[in-house]
Amino acid sequence: MDAFELVVNAPKGVYHLVSPSLGNLQDLVVLDLSSNNMVVSLLLEIGNLKATTLIDLSMNQFSYRIPRENAGLQNLAHLSLIHNNLQGSIPDSMSSLVGLEFLDLSHNSISGIIPKSLEKLQNLKYFNVSVNKLYGEIPSGGPFKNLSSQVFIYNEALCGSSRFSVAPCPTSSKNRSTRKKLLVLFLLLGMALVVVPSTFILFWIMYRRGKRAPQQSDSLSAITRERISYYELIQATDVLSESNLIGSRSSGSVYKGVLRSETDIAVKCSTCNWMLHSRVLIRNVKCCADFTIGISLKSLLVVPILISRL
């Protein structure tokens, strides 16, 4: 059979498309049943019209849903379902109609989202889904880049780019969760950048102090074990000269001095007048910090002394 067109135009009365054999018309190029007030559901068989390039079923009362079985319409370039009672959603399978240039689904009761897979229809030049019950995000890639806002008006809750004159889409819970995780990660990273160096510096300071303390302790220990003669003590303090007097109380007087080893010392003497005629033996040595009573010493050794007669 040669290719042919099937055009039905009977404005009087209501007509039913009753023959499923329509799908057997393999050479049908144009199917035009527009403006006939047909009250039926779209036949699944139209998906078998492999040679058809134009299907116009507009201005009828077709109901139910758009058939998902349309893989055979590989040559279809024009599909108009405007002004019907179609319900359900736009099937993802329509993205397989790679030759489609014109698609009008306006003025129906189609619900759901506009499949993002329709961005694959690179030949699509006209697309209209106005006056339906669609919601969700309007795709923005592929042929949707060149569409105007008018083809999306009067729907339930479409959202997307501002160029479509619709509200921006709310942030999904998944995106919110991801953002929250990133925020927590950045906070933890910031805390780590502060805490880790601070901890390192603290341990370094403690290590340095701990390293210096034993050295000082060893130095004092050596002095503690050293026996200092009476004459060396007298020489170090310039015979307990008044110029070396640090301070005096009822418990005794304290004199500064310098040993032959260049160690700064301070000598506490309870009976200084008598001590001038005595020989002394150092029993205990303690280290003091720099003091501020008119004298500056690198270190200060307080030496309680044990007096023994010559």
Side-chain angles (χ1 to χ4, degrees), residues 25-38:
L25 302 176
Q26 299 294 320
D27 298 313
L28 184 64
V29 176
V30 175
L31 174 61
D32 187 354
L33 303 177
S34 60
S35 304
N36 280 289
N37 288 325
M38 292 184 174

Side-chain angles (χ1 to χ4, degrees), residues 120-133:
K120 300 177 183 178
L121 301 178
Q122 298 298 324
N123 295 317
L124 191 63
K125 297 179 176 59
Y126 181 86
F127 177 80
N128 194 340
V129 288
S130 61
V131 195
N132 276 289
K133 298 179 180 180

Side-chain angles (χ1 to χ4, degrees), residues 218 220-227 285:
D218 292 343
L220 293 179
S221 177
I223 296 174
T224 301
R225 293 191 298 270
E226 183 181 355
R227 296 173 66 87
V285 182

